[in-house]
């Protein structure tokens, strides 16, 4: 249970979706192109000091609070709910992430294996305030492949065949995503409660969706419960889609 009066000894609360840090599980080491997904809650006036990354695409989605980023490329920026900060770590970059505010900060950080190593480091962002209306009862396309020949571009471009979508659903609302043939998806219930193709997901739950190699798969997301957020009473979903990889996913369930 979350305690507002955190101590210096427990300033960070993390939920690891895949094997990472003290959660070691070789039977749950990633999903397709996704290598890491951490759901982090950071105490006010605390954060991650400067640390290095390389050869990884890093996508950070802010749920609530304000995340302040600073890196060795000279970037310094703070963003709030519904925003994305991303980095191509490439040949190497150092950065820090802090919560300078007076309220807890929650964000979802996802590490994605790049299409190739040795890329030039890069930083970019998208402000969630710009797309607030686009997320309401609609799947907003936030991340796409920088090399997408079809030009199906989103505000954030990364170096991998991965797309990301987010939505904030009011009670009783449903959205449907057509997952293309030869694709799979990882869907996280960030806030509230939903049914995904009839299967119940509660806050913090996630599911793996293995598509069909030959035809599109419908993913239906229906709100079954909401909670009070910065944007009112909603259920909140974050979904990553990527190339279908036979045999990927958890092997411990």
């Amino acid at each position: 249970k979350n305690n507002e009066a955190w101590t210096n000894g427990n300033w960070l609360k993390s939920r690891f979706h895949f094997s990472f840090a003290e959660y070691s599980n070789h039977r749950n080491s990633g999903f397709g192109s996704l290598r890491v997904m951490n759901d982090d809650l950071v105490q006010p006036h605390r954060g991650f000091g400067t640390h290095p990354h390389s050869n990884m695409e890093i996508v950070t989605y802010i749920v609530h609070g304000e995340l302040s980023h600073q890196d060795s490329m000279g970037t310094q920026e703070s963003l709030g709910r519904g925003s994305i900060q991303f980095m191509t770590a490439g040949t190497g970059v150092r950065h820090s992430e802090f919560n300078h505010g007076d309220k807890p900060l929650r964000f979802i950080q996802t590490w994605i294996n790049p299409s190739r190593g040795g890329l030039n480091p890069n930083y970019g962002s998208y402000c969630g305030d710009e797309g607030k209306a686009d997320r309401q009862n609609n799947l907003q396309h936030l991340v796409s492949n920088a090399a997408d020949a079809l030009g199906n571009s989103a505000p954030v471009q990364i170096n991998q065949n991965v797309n990301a979508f987010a939505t904030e659903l009011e009670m009783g609302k449903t959205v449907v995503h057509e997952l293309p043939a030869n694709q799979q998806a990882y869907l996280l219930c960030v806030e509230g409660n939903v049914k995904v193709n009839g299967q119940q997901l509660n806050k913090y739950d996630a599911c793996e969706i293995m598509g069909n190699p030959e035809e599109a798969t419908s993913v239906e997301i229906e709100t079954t419960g909401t909670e009070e957020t910065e944007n009112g009473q909603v259920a909140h979903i974050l979904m990553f889609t990527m190339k279908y990889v036979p045999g990927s996913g958890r092997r411990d369930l």
Side-chain angles (χ1 to χ4, degrees):
K1 187 174 182 179
N2 295 332
N3 182 352
E4 300 294 333
W6 298 350
T7 66
N8 288 343
N10 70 340
W11 63 270
L12 171 67
K13 299 178 182 179
S14 295
R15 290 176 169 86
F16 303 135
H17 285 251
F18 310 121
S19 184
F20 186 83
E22 62 265 32
Y23 170 54
S24 179
N25 183 356
H26 70 279
R27 299 178 68 83
N28 183 30
S29 58
F31 181 71
S33 300
L34 307 186
R35 172 59 192 91
V36 169
M37 181 182 284
N38 295 343
D39 189 339
D40 290 336
L41 189 68
V42 181
Q43 181 184 27
H45 309 293
R46 296 300 303 271
F48 299 88
T50 303
H51 57 281
H53 291 285
S54 62
N55 290 320
M56 197 65 66
E57 302 291 290
I58 301 174
V59 175
T60 304
Y61 180 79
I62 296 98
V63 179
H64 59 68
E66 187 173 82
L67 174 63
S68 295
H69 165 102
Q70 188 170 356
D71 62 43
S72 54
M73 296 177 283
T75 309
Q76 187 170 351
E77 186 174 34
S78 297
L79 291 168
R81 183 180 178 87
S83 301
I84 284 184
Q85 293 178 332
F86 78 94
M87 288 196 308
T88 294
T91 55
V93 67
R94 296 176 62 83
H95 79 137
S96 62
E97 299 156 300
F98 274 87
N99 176 14
H100 294 307
D102 296 326
K103 297 180 180 179
L105 160 70
R106 183 183 172 200
F107 60 86
I108 314 297
Q109 186 164 99
T110 305
W111 298 7
I112 300 167
N113 292 312
S115 56
R116 61 185 176 87
L119 293 165
N120 291 328
N122 183 38
Y123 173 87
S125 63
Y126 170 74
C127 179
D129 287 343
E130 298 175 12
K132 181 178 176 180
D134 295 330
R135 289 193 308 278
Q136 185 175 18
N137 301 318
N138 180 66
L139 280 167
Q140 183 188 17
H141 192 186
L142 290 171
V143 176
S144 64
N145 185 2
D148 191 343
L150 299 177
N152 188 22
S153 61
V156 171
Q157 306 276 301
I158 65 171
N159 295 286
Q160 184 53 272
N161 183 17
V162 168
N163 290 272
F165 304 84
T167 184
E168 294 177 321
L169 294 171
E170 296 170 316
M171 191 64 198
K173 298 295 184 178
T174 299
V175 292
V176 177
H177 177 74
E178 293 297 326
L179 188 65
N182 205 35
Q183 291 268 302
Q184 63 190 43
Y186 194 84
L187 186 151
L188 169 62
C189 182
V190 178
E191 295 169 313
N193 314 88
V194 296
K195 282 187 177 180
V196 179
N197 289 350
Q199 298 295 312
Q200 181 68 40
L201 291 185
N202 300 320
K203 184 177 181 178
Y204 304 120
D205 289 344
C207 66
E208 299 172 349
I209 302 169
M210 303 304 295
N212 191 306
E214 299 180 356
E215 60 185 33
T217 300
S218 292
V219 180
E220 183 180 88
I221 306 165
E222 175 191 0
T223 311
T224 58
T226 61
E227 67 177 271
E228 186 62 37
T229 73
E230 294 175 24
N231 290 342
Q233 288 280 344
V234 296
H236 192 179
I237 299 299
L238 179 65
M239 179 173 67
F240 287 85
T241 67
M242 68 214 76
K243 181 180 178 181
Y244 176 77
V245 179
S248 70
R250 298 195 70 158
R251 293 177 288 118
D252 59 341
L253 297 178

